[in-house]
């Protein structure tokens, strides 16, 4: 169990809000308690994450049934621990927020049902949160990041570019038409027998490799839209690996480095298109902010590429701390508290949704929109 630093709540004033958040959409069971003060300041009182990496490692990827069972085993204990760590009592909570999608349905149902039970028994509002909204708002947990900003969400389940205009106002500028970037890292690492999770394992092997050694495809290069594609790159990398016959250590390093450089180039080139689109919609002189979230943002090659891009186009780069960049419940509690403060809540009949685009209009009308590990997520 990973634990983040906590501040201790003593008491809440009349208009402050205490919200418990639950996240269970993939392979992390997470529970957090968040305090929003009267003046709108955010304090993370507890944020606990139980990772399932060990359970999935033998399979080289997330196994939905194993994930669902692990969520069921962990969730009650985590809820109790998060409340205890926050130094509050259940009766102090003003609302409970849970991821209601998109994600692996067994996990989503587990978290959402737990939240419904709490809401019913404590007689407090329920907030059924879109997991992507949690990621979209995550820079506001620690960085006081005002709207609007351009967001690149790049993880194992999602790769998309969003104009975050305000609470509930998300305009998708681009997304993957097949695999997510992290999924491509994981699948490529599995093919090359590098271990799980694949992203960090591949980055380590790539350190000693020649990134120019093997030429790999760059889908959509030069296209005016901001969509991504990684499936062809993954297949080309698998073919190059098979062509080695018995791969040497050097072969592996060179291929990993070439793959990583190609993903970096794809991510940066597509982001540059989105920056153009974002800039066109902003009045002159408005500060430009670019936020990167998701596990793949930890990759140093991609991070450096994005830093260069931001400097070139005049964007301030904001990256939430890694613990809030990857899947966590603090971001779900934040989406909950922001929605509650804006007067929203959901009924106990709120549905778990395996697929739930954040920008439904864009998902319907964008012809490049396809499906990835969790369907058309964006
Ligand atoms: O955001 P996250 O923790 O969970 C979701 O997928 O929602 O992201 C996990 C993904 C995995 O695909 C993992 O391989 C990838 O992020 N990842 C990386 C690195 N660290 C994690 N990919 C490339 N380089 C890394 N250093
Ligand atoms: Zn996520």
């Amino acid at each position: 169990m990973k634990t983040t630093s906590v501040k201790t709540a003593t008491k809440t004033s009349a208009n402050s809000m205490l919200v418990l958040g639950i996240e269970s959409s993939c392979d992390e069971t997470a529970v957090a308690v968040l305090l929003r003060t009267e003046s709108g300041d955010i304090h993370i009182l507890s944020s606990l994450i139980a990772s399932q990496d060990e359970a999935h490692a033998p399979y080289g990827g997330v196994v939905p049934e194993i994930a669902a069972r692990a969520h069921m085993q962990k969730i009650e204990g985590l809820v109790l621990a998060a409340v205890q760590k926050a130094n509050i009592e259940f009766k102090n909570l003003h609302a409970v927020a849970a991821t209601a999608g998109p994600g692996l349905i067994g996990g989503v149902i587990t978290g959402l049902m737990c939240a419904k039970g709490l809401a019913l028994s404590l007689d407090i509002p329920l907030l059924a949160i879109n997991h992507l909204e949690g990621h979209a708002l995550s820079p506001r947990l620690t960085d006081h990041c005002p709207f609007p900003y351009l967001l690149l969400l790049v993880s194992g389940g999602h790769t998309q570019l969003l104009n975050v205009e305000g609470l509930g106002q998300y305009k998708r500028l681009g997304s993957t038409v097949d695999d997510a970037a992290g999924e491509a890292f994981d699948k490529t690492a599995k093919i090359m027998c590098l271990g799980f999770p694949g992203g960090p394992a591949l980055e380590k092997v790539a350190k000693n490799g020649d990134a120019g050694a093997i030429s790999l495809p760059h889908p959509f290069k030069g296209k005016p839209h901001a969509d991504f594609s990684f499936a062809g790159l993954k297949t080309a990398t698998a073919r190059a690996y098979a062509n080695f016959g018995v791969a040497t250590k050097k072969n592996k390093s060179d291929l990993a480095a070439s793959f990583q450089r190609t993903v970096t180039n794809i991510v940066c080139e597509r982001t540059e298109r989105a920056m153009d689109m974002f800039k066109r919609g902003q009045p002159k002189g408005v500060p430009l902010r670019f936020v990167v979230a998701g596990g793949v943002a930890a990759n140093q090659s991609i991070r450096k590429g994005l830093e260069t891009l931001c400097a070139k186009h005049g964007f301030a780069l904001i990256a939430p701390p890694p613990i809030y960049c990857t899947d966590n419940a603090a971001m779900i509690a934040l989406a909950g508290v922001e929605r509650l403060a804006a007067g929203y809540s959901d009924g106990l009949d709120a549905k778990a949704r395996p697929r739930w685009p954040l920008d439904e209009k864009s998902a319907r009308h964008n012809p490049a929109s396809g499906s990835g590990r969790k369907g058309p997520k964006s």
Side-chain angles (χ1 to χ4, degrees), residues 8 48 93 136 171 192 247 357:
T8 304
L48 306 180
L93 288 170
K171 196 173 280 165
M192 293 173 65

Side-chain angles (χ1 to χ4, degrees), residues 218-237:
H218 180 145
F220 293 156
K221 190 170 184 178
K223 295 280 182 217
H225 58 71
D227 287 332
F228 303 81
S229 168
F230 295 101
L233 167 63
K234 180 192 65 195
T235 307
T237 310

Side-chain angles (χ1 to χ4, degrees), residues 131 135 158 327:
H131 176 82
H135 278 301
H158 320 285
D327 286 352

Side-chain angles (χ1 to χ4, degrees), residues 56-131:
H56 301 290
Y59 306 93
V62 177
V63 183
E65 182 58 30
I66 292 178
R69 281 167 193 257
H71 286 305
M72 280 176 63
Q73 283 161 0
K74 299 272 172 62
I75 202 142
E76 284 172 11
L78 273 184
V79 167
L80 290 170
V83 166
Q84 204 170 34
K85 186 114 199 161
N87 201 15
I88 60 156
E89 293 180 43
F90 279 101
K91 65 177 185 211
N92 302 135
L93 288 170
H94 294 99
V96 55
T99 296
L104 300 173
I105 195 66
V108 174
I109 289 174
T110 305
L112 186 59
M113 291 307 288
C114 179
K116 285 181 181 181
L118 285 169
L120 188 63
S121 59
L122 297 170
D123 194 20
I124 54 176
L126 168 78
L127 294 126
I129 302 297
N130 185 317
H131 176 82

Side-chain angles (χ1 to χ4, degrees), residues 140-195:
R140 296 165 64 79
L141 268 173
T142 50
D143 287 274
H144 303 288
C145 183
F147 300 120
Y149 46 87
L150 175 63
L151 174 86
L152 169 65
L153 173 57
V154 65
S155 71
H158 320 285
T159 298
Q160 57 189 269
L161 286 151
L162 290 168
N163 179 349
V164 182
E165 295 173 339
L167 181 69
Q169 294 172 271
Y170 312 103
K171 196 173 280 165
R172 192 183 61 180
L173 303 178
S175 69
T176 183
V177 300
D178 39 53
D179 291 345
E183 191 176 5
F185 267 99
D186 291 337
K187 287 179 176 171
T188 302
K190 188 177 178 182
I191 289 163
M192 293 173 65
C193 307
L194 301 179

